[in-house]
């Protein structure tokens, strides 16, 4: 069954159009976990700690891809809804070219700042050197890393979500196979894991670049473009919430790591790393759904079909509630098997990780609502509300919780911090959605 953006969207159609994006984001998260699995089991706990320590910094640099992807997707899909396909193509090309240029600049800056930043965060000795080796190799592929995340959003906007899934699977398989070769077979250790990830990012970034540069049957194609500074600024402003979210997550992870180093030493950091890997996979469901549905919302917003937008919102909230319960149940059931898979070789670390899982799992009951709420307002080109939700969810609430709760519950307070922050963020998202219940978007949407 062919689904067009202009269709009426039932729950079945929403799941059909968002399924490739959900699988794509989950698969991306799974192959991001592969490095940790191989390093932990074939190199050791110290190297595993180093990978977990450096990843937040690298995620900040790659976060630009989500900014361009989500902000660009909203404006491009809205332009398609207005019937101006030619301008939509020019906007698409401008967004891609700008992200490549910025990726090169960020990679260069990353090389210069990596060591002093890690030293300022307290890394030293073997931990510091392993972080630098891993980080510098990944930085070489940073422009492709940005494009990979960007195209995960833009494939849906181009009407080709399934193709985006195929590219992601190809990149993921590249990472998995090369990790097995470079880490498990060849004695390349942390450097091998980094090389496997960098090469997989090149697959995820270059293949879509070539596809859109050649003649294709999607809604978009790379070509010439006329610089539109105001439009680019609008893309960046609208995508700022996703940029903030993706920057805040690693920044908050650094705060968690510092707290855990002080209260639970390296075992705490390693256990938190396992939680983050699982969290990335589970959140991929919510992120994938939000990425997949966003261009549909933007299209109907551009077409001034407010009734359809409100219907999509109602059905989406019901689906998110179902996903949330399923994610919580899965996290509770998989706590021991996943802890055993990553750190089963160390009984004390295993016990700590299982206990952390039991507390952390409650966060999945609330995460999806805040993620979707932020993405919904981005899709409606309301970057301000989206940014407020994202800022509170990923930065303010998280840091407040991880600094305050351990004063009462010690290490358990650290594991509970994410659930507390996600609950507060879900409540905030609910307030904004309630305030906008009688209009398409707070402050300026067509009312139908």
């Amino acid at each position: 069954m062919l689904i067009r953006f202009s269709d009426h969207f039932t729950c079945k159609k929403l799941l059909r159009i968002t399924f490739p994006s959900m699988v794509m984001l989950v698969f991306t998260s799974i192959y991001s976990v592969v490095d940790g699995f191989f390093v932990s089991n074939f190199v050791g706990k110290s190297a595993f700690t180093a990978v977990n320590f450096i990843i937040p910094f690298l995620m900040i640099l790659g976060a630009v891809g989500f900014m361009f992807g989500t902000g660009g997707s909203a404006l491009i899909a809205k332009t398609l809804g207005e019937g101006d396909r030619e301008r939509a193509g020019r906007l698409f090309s401008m967004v891609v070219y700008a992200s490549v240029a910025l990726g090169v600049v960020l990679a260069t800056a990353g090389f210069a700042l990596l060591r002093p930043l890690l030293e300022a965060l307290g890394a030293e000795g073997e931990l510091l050197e392993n972080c630098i080796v891993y980080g510098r190799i990944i930085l070489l592929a940073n422009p492709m890393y940005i494009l990979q995340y960007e195209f995960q959003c833009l494939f849906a906007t181009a009407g080709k979500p399934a193709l985006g899934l195929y590219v992601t699977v190809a990149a993921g398989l590249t990472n998995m196979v090369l990790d097995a070769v470079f880490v498990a077979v060849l004695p390349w250790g942390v450097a091998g894991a980094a090389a496997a990830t960098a090469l997989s990012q090149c697959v995820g970034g270059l293949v879509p670049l070539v596809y859109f540069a050649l003649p294709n049957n999607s809604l978009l194609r790379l070509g010439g473009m006329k610089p539109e500074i105001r439009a680019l600024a609008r893309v960046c402003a609208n995508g700022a919430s996703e940029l903030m979210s993706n920057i805040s997550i690693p920044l908050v992870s650094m705060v968690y790591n510092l707290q855990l180093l002080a209260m639970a030493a390296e075992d705490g950091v390693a256990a938190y790393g396992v939680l983050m890997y699982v969290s990335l996979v589970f959140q991929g469901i919510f992120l994938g759904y939000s990425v997949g549905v966003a261009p549909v919302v933007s299209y109907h917003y551009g077409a001034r079909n407010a009734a359809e937008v409100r219907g999509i919102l109602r059905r989406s909230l019901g689906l998110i509630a179902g996903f949330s319960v399923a994610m919580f149940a899965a996290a509770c059931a998989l706590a021991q098997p996943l802890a055993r898979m990553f750190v089963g070789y160390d009984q004390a670390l295993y016990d700590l990780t299982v206990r952390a899982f039991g507390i952390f799992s409650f966060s999945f009951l609330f995460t999806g609502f805040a993620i979707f709420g932020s993405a919904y307002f981005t899709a409606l080109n309301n970057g301000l509300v989206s940014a407020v939700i994202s800022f509170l969810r990923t930065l303010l609430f998280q840091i407040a919780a991880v600094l305050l709760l351990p004063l009462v519950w010690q290490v358990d307070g650290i594991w509970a911090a994410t659930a507390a922050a996600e609950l507060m963020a879900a409540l905030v998202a609910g307030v904004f959605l309630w305030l906008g219940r009688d209009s398409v978007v707070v402050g300026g949407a067509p009312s139908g």
Side-chain angles (χ1 to χ4, degrees), residues 339-358:
R340 188 174 296 112
M341 181 178 74
F342 279 96
V343 295
Y345 54 81
D346 188 312
Q347 186 62 43
L349 179 54
Y350 168 81
D351 292 340
L352 178 64
T353 304
V354 170
R355 180 174 180 82
F357 253 114

Side-chain angles (χ1 to χ4, degrees), residues 47-225:
F48 181 53
T49 301
V51 172
N52 291 328
F53 202 84
I54 184 62
I55 279 179
F57 175 75
L58 301 174
M59 287 176 64
I60 291 175
L61 300 183
V64 173
F66 268 123
M67 178 187 72
F68 281 114
T70 55
S73 174
L75 183 58
I76 293 165
K78 177 176 177 290
T79 304
L80 288 171
E82 294 167 344
D84 194 346
R85 184 170 175 178
E86 182 179 346
R87 181 169 184 259
R90 293 199 305 270
L91 291 171
F92 170 71
S93 299
M94 178 179 66
V95 166
V96 172
Y97 299 150
S99 63
V100 171
L102 187 55
V104 173
V105 173
L106 291 175
T108 303
F111 263 91
L113 297 174
L114 190 59
R115 181 178 289 273
L117 177 61
L118 290 169
E119 290 176 341
L121 291 173
E124 57 185 18
E126 183 181 5
L127 175 63
L128 175 62
E129 297 308 317
N130 279 332
C131 286
I132 291 174
V133 169
Y134 188 89
R136 285 181 173 169
I137 294 173
I138 295 291
L139 283 170
L140 293 173
N142 189 63
M144 296 300 104
Y145 182 31
I146 289 174
L147 282 180
Q148 181 179 19
Y149 279 126
E150 181 176 316
F151 282 126
Q152 285 177 350
C153 302
L154 293 175
F155 265 121
T157 310
K160 294 289 183 178
L163 184 56
L165 171 60
Y166 301 149
V167 172
T168 300
V169 170
L173 291 176
T174 299
N175 191 35
M176 293 174 184
V177 172
L178 293 181
D179 259 322
V181 174
F182 294 167
V183 181
V185 178
L186 300 174
W188 290 2
V190 170
T197 297
L199 290 172
S200 72
Q201 289 167 353
C202 289
V203 172
L206 280 176
V207 171
L209 197 64
V210 172
Y211 171 79
F212 284 113
L214 296 175
N216 63 76
N217 62 352
S218 77
L219 297 175
L220 301 169
R221 183 182 172 188
L222 276 175
M225 63 93 182

Side-chain angles (χ1 to χ4, degrees), residues 122-374:
E124 57 185 18
E126 183 181 5
L127 175 63
L128 175 62
E129 297 308 317
N130 279 332
C131 286
I132 291 174
V133 169
Y134 188 89
R136 285 181 173 169
I137 294 173
I138 295 291
L139 283 170
L140 293 173
N142 189 63
M144 296 300 104
Y145 182 31
I146 289 174
L147 282 180
Q148 181 179 19
Y149 279 126
E150 181 176 316
F151 282 126
Q152 285 177 350
C153 302
L154 293 175
F155 265 121
T157 310
K160 294 289 183 178
L163 184 56
L165 171 60
Y166 301 149
V167 172
T168 300
V169 170
L173 291 176
T174 299
N175 191 35
M176 293 174 184
V177 172
L178 293 181
D179 259 322
V181 174
F182 294 167
V183 181
V185 178
L186 300 174
W188 290 2
V190 170
T197 297
L199 290 172
S200 72
Q201 289 167 353
C202 289
V203 172
L206 280 176
V207 171
L209 197 64
V210 172
Y211 171 79
F212 284 113
L214 296 175
N216 63 76
N217 62 352
S218 77
L219 297 175
L220 301 169
R221 183 182 172 188
L222 276 175
M225 63 93 182
K226 177 182 178 182
E228 297 186 44
I229 303 303
R230 292 182 64 182
L232 185 61
R234 186 176 178 184
V235 166
C236 294
N238 197 34
S241 58
E242 278 67 29
L243 175 65
M244 182 183 301
S245 176
N246 283 275
I247 287 178
S248 298
I249 290 172
L251 287 176
V252 168
S253 295
M254 293 176 188
V255 178
Y256 272 80
N257 285 336
L258 291 173
Q259 286 279 74
L260 287 164
L261 278 176
M263 302 184 72
E266 287 194 4
D267 276 6
V269 176
Y272 180 68
V274 177
L275 297 186
M276 288 301 97
Y277 287 141
V278 176
S279 180
L280 283 173
V281 174
F282 283 16
Q283 287 187 28
I285 295 288
F286 303 122
L287 289 168
Y289 181 86
S290 299
V291 166
V293 79
V296 181
V297 174
S298 297
Y299 182 94
H300 284 284
Y301 174 66
R304 302 185 68 82
N305 190 354
E308 183 65 21
V309 174
R310 288 194 291 267
I312 292 171
L313 171 61
R314 288 193 298 270
R315 288 182 279 275
S316 292
L317 290 176
L319 291 171
I320 292 293
F323 295 151
S324 299
V325 174
M327 294 300 100
F328 173 68
C332 292
L334 295 174
Q336 292 186 13
L338 289 172
R340 188 174 296 112
M341 181 178 74
F342 279 96
V343 295
Y345 54 81
D346 188 312
Q347 186 62 43
L349 179 54
Y350 168 81
D351 292 340
L352 178 64
T353 304
V354 170
R355 180 174 180 82
F357 253 114
I359 301 171
F360 185 86
S361 297
F362 285 92
S363 65
F364 298 119
L365 290 172
F366 317 112
T367 300
F369 294 101
I371 289 176
F372 174 77
S374 178

